[in-house]
Amino acid sequence: MWCHSFKCDWLIAMKYAEKLCNESRWSKATYMYQKASFLMMCPDKTPETQQHIEYLYSEVPKLKIRIGGKSLPVEKFAMKKVKRYFSQGNKLVLPALELIYIWNGFSIVGKNEELIVPMLNIVEDTLNEILKNKDSYQYFKDDYCLVLHLKGVCLKFRDQIYQAEQCFKEVIQNEKEIKQDNYLVPWAHMELALLKMQDKEYTEAKVLLDKAKNSYKGYSLESRLHFRIRAANHHIKSLISGDEDTDDSTSEVSRTSVDLGEMNGLIPDLEKENSNTDNSNGAEVKCE
């Protein structure tokens, strides 16, 4: 599924999400959301396809589960996005690329020019569309900052560091105007910190990481960001103490969080802690 999404083969990625939704006992709500989001990325959608996307998103809340008495963070994120989809006239901006980002997929995509360039093209085309038709976007600043953040990530992996830094800084500057996607601001701080680490500006990086961790609370996927912040802080400490080769700091920075390749089951923080816990009723849910 992820391999095809990295290649922007949205229909094939959607088929694998469907297979996972039908056969996996893990979060069916997440797989259903992924399925709808991959299909959402397809160009020239027919009315029938649009109707099917609407159906898929409407099914997501029905499939949510609790593990160890707690909701899954990634499912909470999906629920918010589904609510947003329906509240703004059946529209989401780059939902599949957003998923790839939060699962740290760009750490893989960014290593291959043939993968990152098409994604950057999609991001820039979407950014131009948003700016051209800003009045048609109910949450203009949210959508704009999401796409701008994704652009910064793409530019970072193309070693366009200054341009990437400007993208993340602009996201932070729009903090008070973001209504829904408030997770973008602390994540932008983290991305800026990673850029500072590449330039061996470890003190500034530490300040940015501390601000991302301590100044923002209650946003989507907070524990996931804290995991990345902890990994980045550990890496800074290792570099300063001389435990690692500082000449290789740039490549190491891209691995300061868990890669998709290292997470075969794609289990987020909370789910990983409860990996032996099954759905309480054990019911099988068919995903269509």
Side-chain angles (χ1 to χ4, degrees), residues 6-8 109-119 158:
F6 295 163
K7 297 190 293 182
C8 300
V109 174
K111 297 174 182 177
N112 190 324
E113 188 80 359
E114 294 181 1
L115 297 179
I116 197 67
V117 170
M119 286 198 177
R158 298 199 72 207

Side-chain angles (χ1 to χ4, degrees), residues 30-48:
T30 300
Y31 292 133
M32 183 67 80
Y33 179 76
Q34 289 171 335
K35 179 181 176 182
S37 296
F38 291 141
L39 194 57
M40 189 83 174
M41 296 293 296
C42 296
D44 303 322
K45 293 182 284 292
T46 65
E48 291 77 13

Side-chain angles (χ1 to χ4, degrees), residues 3 21 41 55 72-73 121 124 143 180 189 250 253 263 273:
C3 289
C21 188
M41 296 293 296
Y55 165 76
L72 310 185
N121 290 337
E124 290 184 327
D143 293 331
Q180 297 280 328
H189 279 86
T250 299
V253 165
M263 298 177 66
E273 295 174 2

